[in-house]
Amino acid sequence: MRYLVILLFSVALFSCDPVHNLTLNNQSGNAIEVLYRPSLDDIPTDGIQIEKEEIQGQQLDKITLDSAEILRIGRVTAMYTPTADDVELDYLEIRNGQDTIRLTGKRAILSTIQKIESLDWRLVVK
C-alpha cells in the first residue's frame, strides 16, 4: 500500500509540469523553405511535403512553410526557460526570398528563440 501511495504521489507531481513546444513561426507573408537536421519524427504530414537535400555532403530535410504555418523545433517543460538541450535540431537554414539564415548548433538556434507570451517560445520569421 505504501508503494502504491508513493507511486501515485510521484505521478501527480510529474504530471504538473506540462511540456510546451519551441516553434519556428513563419510570419513573413510569403512561403519559406526550411532545411534542418536531424529529421523530426512527429511533423504532421497533412499538406507538408518533406524533401531531401544534400549540402556539403550532409543530408538535410527540407519543407516549405506557408505564411502563418509553424514547425516544432523543440520542447520545454513549462516552468523552465529553454536551454540548448531543449532544441531538437543541430542545423537550421531558413530561405526567405533572397535572404538565407543558417544556424549551426543548438546554442545558435536557441539564441534566435524569443519569449512571446508566458509559456510561448518562438523563432519568428518576418
Side-chain angles (χ1 to χ4, degrees):
M1 184 66 173
R2 175 184 287 168
Y3 293 111
L4 181 60
V5 170
I6 292 172
L7 177 66
L8 290 175
F9 184 71
S10 297
V11 169
L13 284 178
F14 288 117
S15 65
C16 293
D17 292 333
V19 174
H20 293 277
N21 293 329
L22 303 174
T23 60
L24 184 154
N25 189 334
N26 181 10
Q27 294 181 2
S28 68
N30 303 311
I32 62 172
E33 288 183 340
V34 180
L35 291 89
Y36 57 91
R37 180 185 67 235
S39 295
L40 296 170
D41 294 330
D42 57 352
I43 289 181
T45 55
D46 50 309
I48 295 180
Q49 192 76 349
I50 301 173
E51 301 174 33
K52 300 291 183 184
E53 187 166 316
E54 188 171 319
I55 297 178
Q56 297 178 351
Q58 297 288 321
Q59 187 81 339
L60 304 172
D61 285 357
K62 177 176 136 181
I63 63 169
T64 301
L65 290 180
D66 288 328
S67 185
E69 287 189 323
I70 63 170
L71 172 67
R72 184 188 60 75
I73 59 174
R75 296 177 197 244
V76 63
T77 304
M79 61 186 251
Y80 297 105
T81 301
T83 66
D85 290 334
D86 298 320
V87 176
E88 295 179 13
L89 303 177
D90 295 322
Y91 178 85
L92 179 64
E93 182 173 315
I94 302 164
R95 297 175 181 169
N96 184 6
Q98 298 299 319
D99 296 326
T100 300
I101 299 169
R102 287 185 188 96
L103 301 165
T104 303
K106 294 177 182 289
R107 288 187 180 161
I109 296 168
L110 179 66
S111 71
T112 62
I113 294 174
Q114 55 189 297
K115 185 176 185 176
I116 304 298
E117 294 177 1
S118 178
L119 307 179
D120 185 4
W121 299 86
R122 300 181 200 173
L123 187 166
V124 179
V125 178
K126 292 186 179 189

